[in-house]
Amino acid sequence: MDEFMKAALAEAQTGMDEGGVPIGSVLVHQGRIIGRGHNRRVQQGSAILHGEMDALENAGRQPAHVYRESVLYTTLSPCPMCTGAILLYGIPRVIIGENQSFLGEEALLQSRGVQIEVLQNDACIDLMRRFMEARPDVWNEDIGES
């Protein structure tokens, strides 16, 4: 696992430690993390603070070319909302820790030219599995199934 996925996984663990959904993300530009975040819906009572959205928010306002030159790392396949943000900002590449727990809008991203790489990382899979078993109510709320 490279340093950027390790950073995203550390964010996911922070989310779990805070009582939230363990999904983490980092935005990398020219080999440097410019934004990091984790799902904070539970902690902040937010409808939109998924890991990817939090990382984008924490990157701050960037010139358009920065997004177009960046890579987004996320521990879980992006949902429709996060996919929309990826497309809106023109992020060309997304590295996904795993998509076994949840398969997001990878096909849409690929159809729009975004390069996707899915790692099926055991640590990402295990963290989500443990969370989903422990907190099915929160997981189902977050993905809209309850």
Side-chain angles (χ1 to χ4, degrees), residues 76-80 98-106 139 143:
L76 188 65
S77 186
C79 76
E98 65 109 342
N99 65 5
Q100 294 179 11
S101 303
F102 173 77
L103 178 59
E105 299 295 328
E106 294 172 27
W139 172 243
I143 62 169

Side-chain angles (χ1 to χ4, degrees), residues 36-40 49-59:
R36 61 178 66 229
H38 54 275
N39 187 304
R40 295 189 303 140
L49 280 181
H50 285 191
E52 300 91 336
M53 302 297 278
D54 195 37
L56 287 167
E57 177 70 15
N58 290 329

Side-chain angles (χ1 to χ4, degrees), residues 18 29 41 49 66 101 117 122:
E18 293 173 352
H29 180 254
R41 291 186 72 245
L49 280 181
V66 170
S101 303
E117 182 179 347
D122 290 336

Side-chain angles (χ1 to χ4, degrees), residues 82-91 108-110 112-114:
C82 296
T83 293
I86 292 163
L87 294 174
L88 177 67
Y89 291 106
I91 297 168
L108 175 58
L109 288 168
Q110 289 176 316
R112 299 282 296 273
V114 177

